[in-house]
Each structure stands twice: as C-alpha cells, then as structure tokens.
Amino acid sequence: MKTGLILEGGAMRGMFTAGVMDVMMENDIVFDGAIGVSAGAAFGCNYKSKQIGRAARYNMKYCDDKRYCGIGSLIKTGNIFSTDFAYGEVPMKKDIFDFYTYKNNPMEFYVVCTDIESGKAVYHRYDDFSDHGFDWIRASASMPLVSEIVEIDGVKMLDGGVADSIPLKYFESIGYDRNVVILTRPGEYRKKKNNIIPLIKLKYKKYPEFVKAMEERHIKYNETLEYIAAEEQKGNVLVIRPDEALPVGRIERNRDNLKAAYEIGRNTAIRKLDKVKKFLK
C-alpha cells in the first residue's frame, strides 16, 4: 500500500490547505508521496520540508506587500506574484525554505503544470533545488492572464489546474492506492464555465489546445469530483474540505481573512484527525 496526499489549488484558498497540513504534521502523519497543483504545489512542498507553519506565516506577513504581489507587479513584470520576491527573496532569504530536509525526506513530491502547446497536464517529480530552482512550483502556480509563461527544457507551461485540478487518477496510476485529498471548496460546489474565455482566446490565440483546455476545464473538474465521490464511498479515498465557502479571494490582501481560512483548515483537520489516522492504517 502506498499512501498519497493530493492538494488542490485555488490561490489563497490554499490557506485552508496550509491549516490542514500543519495539524497533520504536528501529529506526525507521514505519506509516501504528495502531489500539488498551483497553490497546492506552492504550499504543499512545505510538507516534504517538514516546515510547520511556514506557508501560513509568509503569506500572512507579505500579503499586502507590493513586492510580493499586486497590480504593480503585474504591470511591471507580467506576473501578479513577483518572481524575484515571492520565488526568490522570500524562500531564499526572508523565510528560508529547508532544501536539505526536503531533499533527504523520502516522501516523493510531484507538481502539476499545463503544457500550453498541447493543453495536456505535465506531472513532474520535483526532488530538489538543482531541478530548475523554484521554476516548477512557479509554473504550476502561474495563473492565466496574470502570469508570464514559464518555459522549462523547451516546454511552455502555466497553471496546472487548467489540465488537471485534482490529480487523483494520476496518483493512482503510479501506484498510490490510499489517498487523502484536500479540496478548497465545499461539497456542493461545482465549477461553471469560465466567463473570461473571450480574454483567454485573445491572449492565447497562438495556443488553441490551451484555449480548448480552458473551455473544457469546468467539465473535467466536475467529472473528477464525481469520481472522487465514488471512490470515497468505496473507502479508497478520504476527502478533507471546508464545510462552506472560505472567506478569501484568490488574491487576498486582508490578513484577518487569510488567518480565518487557515484556522478553518486547522479546525477541520482536528475534527478529521482520528479518521485520517485510521484510514492510513
């Protein structure tokens, strides 16, 4: 049996995920592997580096810092989250990411990106900093329209959530058969067709397969939710999600709102803790 942790994205809804992960780490819950999408990758890598509280800490500290994110960064660099500050100065100098522990922890960590030329998901096992620094994490979390395309080894990529928002089937396909899935939307949520498709078509007209993936994203996402529900009923999957919509926007500048989402994640994980331990046994 291989145990897996699957982390949905959702930008600052990831503060819920951070709260859940911190409680699990505090209780020494170990997984054989984890896979993160977008914010799930950016926040989830802290599980492998065993840095309890880090994801919540730096996001609450820098959420209203113009160097970290905002319209100014978008206008100046093409990225709403600053590449130099958010993926450089913060993890390397201000709230240091523990790459030594990350590299030596046997837990595998995968990130999901979207190849904009094919419109397909790219699943990459990210082992340490020598593998293009933080670029794989950055590619996974690069939201369309507000991020520059990230190119690694000739592959042009954006937000992994476009091609595979909740990569349960992929993890099952590589041998993970006992999976905990952290979602950032309540149970009744279903994704609707994106109303910014006209802008997507205009911005990415050179990449028709990416446009198609964006147009079909809501369909694939809702199909995945149905699959997860079926697997949960069979006892193959344990799902942790908020009971209601989280009090945060995708780009949230209010520190109190971020803290509230984090605490909701913690409280949800505490309620589910015994179930998680029993499930993983």
Side-chain angles (χ1 to χ4, degrees), residues 262-276:
Y262 174 74
E263 292 298 336
I264 291 169
R266 286 191 62 89
N267 292 334
T268 303
I270 289 167
R271 292 200 315 267
K272 290 263 192 180
L273 197 55
D274 287 341
K275 282 188 177 180
V276 172

Side-chain angles (χ1 to χ4, degrees), residues 7 14 29 50 134 204 244 251 256 274:
L7 307 168
I29 293 176
K50 301 182 181 182
F134 272 110
Y204 302 105
E244 53 190 41
I251 309 297
D256 290 337
D274 287 341

Side-chain angles (χ1 to χ4, degrees), residues 42-51 54 90-93 95-100 102-103 126 129 134:
F43 295 4
C45 58
N46 293 284
Y47 210 105
K48 183 170 165 65
S49 66
K50 301 182 181 182
Q51 289 178 278
R54 182 178 177 273
V90 170
M92 303 307 291
K93 295 180 180 179
D95 199 324
I96 297 172
F97 187 77
D98 187 350
F99 267 106
Y100 179 82
Y102 183 94
K103 183 176 182 177
Y126 179 64
F129 190 76
F134 272 110

Side-chain angles (χ1 to χ4, degrees), residues 95-124:
D95 199 324
I96 297 172
F97 187 77
D98 187 350
F99 267 106
Y100 179 82
T101 299
Y102 183 94
K103 183 176 182 177
N104 288 283
N105 183 348
M107 184 184 88
E108 297 179 334
F109 190 78
Y110 289 78
V111 300
V112 185
C113 307
T114 299
D115 180 336
I116 65 168
E117 294 184 313
S118 69
K120 303 295 184 183
V122 176
Y123 305 98
H124 180 78

Side-chain angles (χ1 to χ4, degrees), residues 12 15 43 55-63 68 258:
M12 286 306 164
M15 289 296 284
F43 295 4
R57 185 173 60 241
Y58 73 76
N59 276 292
M60 285 192 281
K61 183 172 183 178
Y62 297 111
C63 63
Y68 186 60
L258 292 174

Side-chain angles (χ1 to χ4, degrees), residues 66-83 145-148 203 253:
K66 292 179 181 179
R67 295 172 300 170
Y68 186 60
C69 69
I71 297 300
S73 175
L74 179 62
I75 292 169
K76 189 188 246 184
T77 70
N79 293 294
I80 199 158
F81 284 91
S82 166
T83 297
L145 298 180
V146 293
S147 306
E148 292 286 283
K203 172 85 172 178
R253 312 304 292 269

Side-chain angles (χ1 to χ4, degrees), residues 4 10 19 34 36 46 58 73 81 108 116 119 127 132 155 169 194 196 211 221 245-247 253 275 279:
N46 293 284
Y58 73 76
S73 175
F81 284 91
E108 297 179 334
I116 65 168
D127 291 330
H132 298 88
V155 181
K169 287 185 178 180
N194 201 318
I196 62 167
V211 173
Y221 183 90
L246 295 169
R253 312 304 292 269
K275 282 188 177 180
F279 175 78

